C-alpha cells in the first residue's frame, strides 16, 4: 500500500494519520476536510469556548510542529462529492480527484434541521467552530434563548447559557428528556437539574414554526399555538451522517456507513467516527457512536487493520461518553440506548449523585453515573467488557 486517503479531517481522521505514521507507514497520506480549519476539539464548543473560558486557538488538537511532523497532504475547505471504488478515486468539490490504495471515511455528521425553518439571523445549530462563535456572540445577560431538543448538546448549551445570565427555554417532544437513551430516572434527574438553575423545560412540546423575518428570530410557535418569544433559537434535534457523497459508490449506507466488525465497508475501505455504523462484536449489534474518545480509538484500530490486512482485529470497545452541566459531570460506559431495563442503584439529587445500570437480555450492557469517582466507573467498565451476567454483576457492585 502506497497511498492512504482519509476523508474527514477531524479527531478520527487525525487519529488514523497519526497511527499510520507511528506504525512506520512511509507512503502518501492525504487528509480531506470540508472545513478550512486543521483538526480541532469539538466537545468544548458547547462549554469552554461558548462561555468564553477558552479562545478558539486552544481548540487545536495538535501543535503546528506536530502537524508538520506528520508529513501529510492537507486538502482543506474541499468537501468530497463522489467516490468511485473501482477506480479507487475520490472526487472533491473543486473538481479534482484523489487516488488511493486504502480509503478511510471519517466525514462525521451534520446537525439535523427543523423542517421549514429557513436560515436567518438568530437561528443556530452547533457543530463547527463558526457555529459556536456565532452562538457565543448572542449569549448575553437578559437575552432569550429557546433550545429545540433536550439531548446532551442542548442541555450543555442550556447550562452554559444560564451561567452567562441568558433566559433559557428548552423544548422536548418526549415526556421525559433522554428517556429512550438513558431511562426515565436519569432523564428526570437531568431535567430537575435544569429546573433548579432556572431553565424553563417544556416536555411534549413540538415546534410548528420559528417566527421572525430577514432581520432575525422573534420566537417559536408550538403545535398547540403557544408562542415563546426568543432572541435566538438553537436547533439541537440530533444529527445526520455525512454520507450523501457516497451515492452510487456501491457502499451500504443506513444511518451511517455500514461496516463489519473490522470497521471495513468494502475491500480497502474503512469507516471511522460519527459516520461509521459498525458491528461491535462485544454487544453483537450495529452501533454508531458520536463521541470524541471513540473516534480516536476507532481511528487507531482502522489504521492497524489497513496496514495488516492478513491479521485484522475486530474493533470491540466499551463506548464511553461524558457531559458537564452546572459543575456536575455525567459519565457513561457501554450501550445505554438499546436497553431492556434501567436499574437505579443510587440517586441523591442534593449531593448531585446518580448511578444507573442498564440490562440487555441477561447481560450488563451499560452504566451511567453522576458525581462518582473514576475508580467506581472503571469497575463497572470491566464488568461490561467481560459481558458479565446481570444478577452477578449487580450483586458484585452492591457488595463492593
Amino acid at each position: 500500500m502506497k497511498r492512504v486517503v482519509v476523508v474527514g479531517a477531524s479527531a478520527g481522521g487525525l487519529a488514523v494519520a497519526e497511527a499510520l505514521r507511528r506504525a512506520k507507514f512511509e507512503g502518501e497520506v492525504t487528509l480531506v476536510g470540508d472545513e478550512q480549519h486543521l483538526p480541532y476539539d469539538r466537545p468544548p464548543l458547547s462549554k469552554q469556548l461558548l462561555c468564553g473560558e477558552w479562545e478558539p486557538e486552544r481548540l487545536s488538537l495538535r501543535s503546528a510542529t506536530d502537524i508538520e511532523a506528520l508529513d501529510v497532504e492537507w486538502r482543506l475547505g474541499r468537501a468530497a462529492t463522489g467516490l468511485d471504488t473501482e477506480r479507487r478515486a475520490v472526487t472533491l468539490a473543486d473538481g479534482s480527484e484523489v487516488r488511493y490504495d486504502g480509503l478511510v471515511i471519517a466525514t462525521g455528521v451534520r446537525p439535523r434541521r427543523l423542517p421549514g425553518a429557513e436560515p436567518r439571523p438568530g437561528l443556530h445549530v452547533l457543530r463547527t467552530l463558526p457555529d459556536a462563535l456565532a452562538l457565543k456572540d448572542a449569549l448575553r445577560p437578559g437575552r432569550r434563548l429557546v433550545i429545540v431538543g433536550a439531548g446532551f448538546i442542548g442541555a450543555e448549551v442550556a447550562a452554559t447559557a444560564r451561567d452567562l445570565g441568558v433566559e433559557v427555554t428548552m423544548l422536548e417532544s418526549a415526556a421525559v428528556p433522554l428517556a429512550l437513551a438513558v431511562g426515565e430516572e436519569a432523564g428526570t434527574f437531568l431535567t430537575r437539574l435544569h429546573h433548579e438553575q432556572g431553565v424553563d423545560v417544556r416536555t411534549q412540546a413540538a415546534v410548528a414554526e420559528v417566527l421572525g423575518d430577514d432581520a432575525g428570530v422573534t420566537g417559536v410557535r408550538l403545535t398547540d399555538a403557544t408562542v415563546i418569544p426568543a432572541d435566538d433559537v438553537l436547533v439541537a434535534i440530533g444529527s445526520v451522517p455525512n454520507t450523501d457523497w457516497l451515492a452510487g459508490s456501491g457502499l451500504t449506507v443506513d444511518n451511517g456507513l455500514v461496516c463489519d466488525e473490522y470497521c471495513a465497508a468494502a475491500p480497502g475501505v474503512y469507516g471511522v467516527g460519527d459516520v461509521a455504523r459498525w458491528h461491535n462484536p462485544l454487544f453483537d449489534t450495529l452501533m454508531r457512536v458520536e463521541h470524541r474518545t471513540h473516534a480516536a480509538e476507532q481511528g487507531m484500530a482502522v489504521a492497524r487493520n489497513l496496514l495488516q490486512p492478513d491479521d485484522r482485529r475486530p474493533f470491540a470497545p466499551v463506548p464511553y461518553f461524558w457531559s458537564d452541566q452546572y459543575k456536575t459531570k455525567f459519565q457513561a460506559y457501554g450501550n445505554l440506548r438499546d436497553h431492556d431495563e434501567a436499574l437505579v442503584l443510587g440517586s441523591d439529587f442534593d449531593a448531585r449523585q446518580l448511578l444507573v445500570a442498564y440490562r440487555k437480555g441477561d447481560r450488563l450492557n451499560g452504566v451511567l453515573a453522576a458525581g462518582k469517582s473514576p475508580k467506581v466507573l472503571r469497575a463497572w467498565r470491566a464488568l461490561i467488557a467481560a459481558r458479565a451476567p446481570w444478577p452477578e454483576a449487580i450483586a458484585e457492585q452492591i457488595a463492593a
Side-chain angles (χ1 to χ4, degrees):
M1 184 177 298
K2 297 181 178 180
R3 298 172 295 183
V4 174
V5 173
V6 182
V7 184
S10 194
L14 176 64
V16 174
E18 290 181 327
L20 288 172
R21 293 309 191 204
R22 282 196 300 270
K24 308 303 182 185
F25 177 67
E26 296 180 353
E28 298 176 11
V29 178
T30 301
L31 266 76
V32 176
D34 60 351
E35 294 186 63
Q36 293 285 355
H37 307 280
L38 288 165
Y40 61 89
D41 210 8
R42 295 187 192 273
L45 294 180
S46 59
K47 298 179 281 288
Q48 293 93 336
L49 182 85
L50 205 57
C51 73
E53 182 181 336
W54 287 16
E55 294 299 321
E57 294 74 21
R58 189 170 173 180
L59 297 175
S60 297
L61 286 173
R62 299 293 181 269
S63 68
T65 300
D66 291 336
I67 291 294
E68 184 177 358
L70 272 179
D71 187 26
V72 305
E73 179 187 4
W74 296 91
R75 300 278 190 104
L76 299 178
R78 285 172 279 186
T81 57
L83 171 63
D84 187 329
T85 54
E86 292 187 3
R87 294 178 51 244
R88 294 185 173 240
V90 176
T91 304
L92 306 186
D94 62 1
S96 63
E97 270 193 353
V98 187
R99 303 296 293 270
Y100 66 85
D101 299 314
L103 174 67
V104 178
I105 295 171
T107 43
V109 297
R110 62 184 183 276
R112 192 180 301 277
R113 305 279 178 164
L114 272 177
E118 296 298 325
R120 61 180 53 150
L123 181 59
H124 303 269
V125 293
L126 182 57
R127 174 64 184 175
T128 66
L129 177 57
D131 292 339
L133 292 175
L135 184 58
K136 178 178 180 291
D137 289 343
L139 299 184
R140 300 188 297 274
R143 296 272 292 184
R144 301 165 300 178
L145 173 67
V146 172
I147 301 175
V148 184
F152 282 106
I153 293 296
E156 288 178 356
V157 172
T160 301
R162 284 301 298 145
D163 286 342
L164 294 171
V166 178
E167 297 178 17
V168 179
T169 300
M170 189 158 56
L171 307 177
E172 170 58 48
S173 59
V176 178
L178 288 166
L180 286 176
V182 299
E184 289 194 5
E185 180 71 24
T188 300
F189 187 99
L190 283 158
T191 302
R192 186 178 175 189
L193 191 63
H194 285 278
H195 275 308
E196 185 182 77
Q197 298 297 325
V199 176
D200 181 6
V201 182
R202 304 193 188 188
T203 57
Q204 296 182 307
V207 174
E209 182 183 9
V210 176
L211 304 175
D213 52 31
D214 291 342
V217 165
T218 59
V220 170
R221 178 183 288 117
L222 305 183
T223 53
D224 65 2
T226 300
V227 173
I228 305 172
D231 301 302
D232 293 275
V233 173
L234 170 68
V235 179
I237 55 174
S239 58
V240 180
N242 287 322
T243 55
D244 295 355
W245 68 283
L246 298 175
S249 67
L251 301 182
T252 302
V253 172
D254 180 11
N255 183 29
L257 175 66
V258 177
C259 303
D260 63 15
E261 66 269 31
Y262 304 105
C263 305
V269 180
Y270 289 79
V272 162
D274 300 1
V275 74
R277 186 165 175 244
W278 95 108
H279 184 265
N280 186 336
L282 182 63
F283 300 94
D284 192 25
T285 189
L286 283 170
M287 186 178 291
R288 190 171 67 80
V289 179
E290 296 184 28
H291 297 294
R292 160 83 170 77
T293 52
H294 168 82
E297 291 174 358
Q298 194 169 29
M300 291 186 284
V302 161
R304 184 196 179 281
N305 286 342
L306 259 177
L307 296 180
Q308 301 184 45
D310 296 327
D311 186 28
R312 297 189 301 171
R313 295 177 184 171
F315 182 57
V318 177
Y320 168 76
F321 78 86
W322 79 95
S323 178
D324 294 316
Q325 300 175 39
Y326 306 113
K327 299 181 180 179
T328 299
K329 180 175 285 293
F330 295 86
Q331 299 180 80
Y333 282 104
N335 186 18
L336 276 56
R337 181 174 292 275
D338 188 22
H339 64 262
D340 296 324
E341 178 184 359
L343 177 64
V344 180
L345 296 173
S347 181
D348 185 341
F349 183 79
D350 291 338
R352 298 294 191 267
Q353 291 191 346
L354 177 69
L355 182 63
V356 184
Y358 299 83
R359 175 182 63 82
K360 177 68 174 179
D362 62 352
R363 301 287 169 174
L364 174 68
N365 227 43
V367 64
L368 179 143
K372 298 294 183 180
S373 72
K375 182 179 178 181
V376 170
L377 271 295
R378 283 196 295 270
W380 281 100
R381 183 193 181 282
L383 290 170
I384 296 167
R387 301 300 289 139
W390 175 256
E392 289 86 342
I394 298 303
E396 178 178 331
Q397 288 302 95
I398 290 176

